[in-house]
Amino acid sequence: MEKRLFAYPLAFAALMALTACANAPKPAPEPAQTQTPMHPHAHDHAQGQPSQPREITQVESGKAARNQCNAKAAQSIVGKPYGGPAMLEQARAAAGADLARMLRENSATTKEMQIGRLNVIVNAQGAVVRVTCG
């Protein structure tokens, strides 16, 4: 009998804990964000100077991934001044890629291979120097 009296409060406490967890509001999922490299002058903000807005460096097709990319089809932009998101979208569409990103020459990049990604490499003078997939 003494064991049963001890078990009731424990069972009640466990039931209350489970009920509290089940009724707790779930946090809203965070929206997916496209990570963009820091603008070259963004460090000025930390030194008390206003920073310039970040440039858009990636565009996506908005469709289901097809994991295809044909860099040869987008070679027409090589040698031209980098034209921002409009040029990225034009190159992405020409290559049939899922997404396109602009990279600065000699900048640090991630090493994961994405078959459906087009890379548009821009030099310090702002000209497109290479177009590759990956």
Side-chain angles (χ1 to χ4, degrees):
M1 177 89 171
E2 191 174 316
K3 288 183 183 179
R4 282 189 179 175
L5 289 176
F6 184 68
Y8 289 122
L10 285 179
F12 181 72
L15 181 62
M16 293 303 290
L18 288 174
T19 303
C21 290
N23 293 331
K26 293 182 172 76
E30 292 186 27
Q33 296 180 353
T34 301
Q35 195 172 33
T36 58
M38 186 178 289
H39 190 275
H41 302 291
H43 69 278
D44 295 341
H45 182 68
Q47 297 171 0
Q49 299 174 2
S51 64
Q52 296 177 5
R54 291 182 181 207
E55 60 189 335
I56 296 173
T57 59
Q58 183 168 304
V59 295
E60 297 182 33
S61 69
K63 298 178 182 173
R66 298 180 320 165
N67 293 322
Q68 296 177 359
C69 180
N70 178 5
K72 288 182 182 180
Q75 292 298 317
S76 64
I77 67 169
V78 174
K80 294 182 180 177
Y82 175 64
M87 179 180 267
L88 275 181
E89 178 55 30
Q90 175 190 3
R92 185 208 59 75
D98 298 323
L99 61 103
R101 67 179 177 173
M102 185 276 289
L103 300 170
R104 296 287 178 182
E105 203 171 33
N106 300 321
S107 66
T109 60
T110 58
K111 295 189 181 226
E112 83 277 357
M113 175 70 166
Q114 290 188 15
I115 297 169
R117 178 172 59 195
L118 182 72
N119 299 306
V120 176
I121 294 88
V122 178
N123 67 13
Q125 291 75 36
V128 177
V129 292
R130 266 187 339 272
V131 179
T132 62
C133 292

